[in-house]
Amino acid sequence: EDPVGNGHEEKESNPFAEYMWMENEEDFNRQVEEELQEQEFLDRCFQEMLEEEEQDWFIPARDLPQGMGMGMGQLQQQLHGLSVGDGADDILSKSNLNPDAKEFVPGVKY
C-alpha cells in the first residue's frame, strides 16, 4: 500500500499519535522551563566567575598608577640585558651533571 503524502500509513492505529505529546503539555512546559532556568543560572555563574577572575588578574597597564615604577622602555632594556645565551658555556663547564644520561620524562620509571 502507498503511504500517504505526510509519511504516515493510511491505516495508522492512532490517527492522533502525532499529537499525543499535548496530553502532557504542562509537564513538557515545566521541564523546558526548568532547563531554561538551569541554563540561565549556569550562564550567570560563568559570567560571575569570569568577572572575579578579571579582578584577580594583575594587568600592569591597568593596575599600576601611571608614572610609577618603570616605563616600558626601561623594562625592555632590562629584558634585553637578560640574554639567554649569557654564560651558558660557563655553566656547562662547571656542571657535574651526566651529559650521557637519559632524557628525563616525568612519570616514566626507568
Side-chain angles (χ1 to χ4, degrees), residues 51-104:
E51 287 167 7
E52 270 177 36
E53 253 182 23
E54 233 169 59
Q55 289 167 5
D56 292 342
W57 283 342
F58 176 75
I59 303 171
R62 182 192 72 191
D63 297 334
L64 281 180
Q66 293 310 307
M68 179 196 129
M70 290 184 238
M72 281 311 279
Q74 285 173 285
L75 198 60
Q76 281 172 337
Q77 281 175 349
Q78 276 200 342
L79 285 176
H80 287 304
L82 299 174
S83 157
V84 178
D86 283 357
D89 303 328
D90 214 29
I91 292 169
L92 286 177
S93 64
K94 294 178 192 158
S95 170
N96 59 358
L97 295 175
N98 177 1
D100 301 322
K102 287 186 183 173
E103 181 180 348
F104 172 72

Side-chain angles (χ1 to χ4, degrees), residues 20-29:
M20 288 308 287
W21 65 271
M22 291 181 177
E23 181 181 10
N24 303 319
E25 192 172 359
E26 284 82 18
D27 294 338
F28 179 77
N29 286 346

Side-chain angles (χ1 to χ4, degrees), residues 12-70:
E12 195 174 83
S13 58
N14 183 354
F16 300 108
E18 208 178 318
Y19 305 103
M20 288 308 287
W21 65 271
M22 291 181 177
E23 181 181 10
N24 303 319
E25 192 172 359
E26 284 82 18
D27 294 338
F28 179 77
N29 286 346
R30 194 176 313 116
Q31 187 182 346
V32 170
E33 190 85 21
E34 282 171 14
E35 286 171 13
L36 287 173
Q37 286 173 347
E38 192 175 321
Q39 187 58 48
E40 194 178 307
F41 175 73
L42 288 175
D43 288 347
R44 226 180 14 249
C45 287
F46 191 67
Q47 195 56 44
E48 280 177 26
M49 188 185 73
L50 285 177
E51 287 167 7
E52 270 177 36
E53 253 182 23
E54 233 169 59
Q55 289 167 5
D56 292 342
W57 283 342
F58 176 75
I59 303 171
R62 182 192 72 191
D63 297 334
L64 281 180
Q66 293 310 307
M68 179 196 129
M70 290 184 238

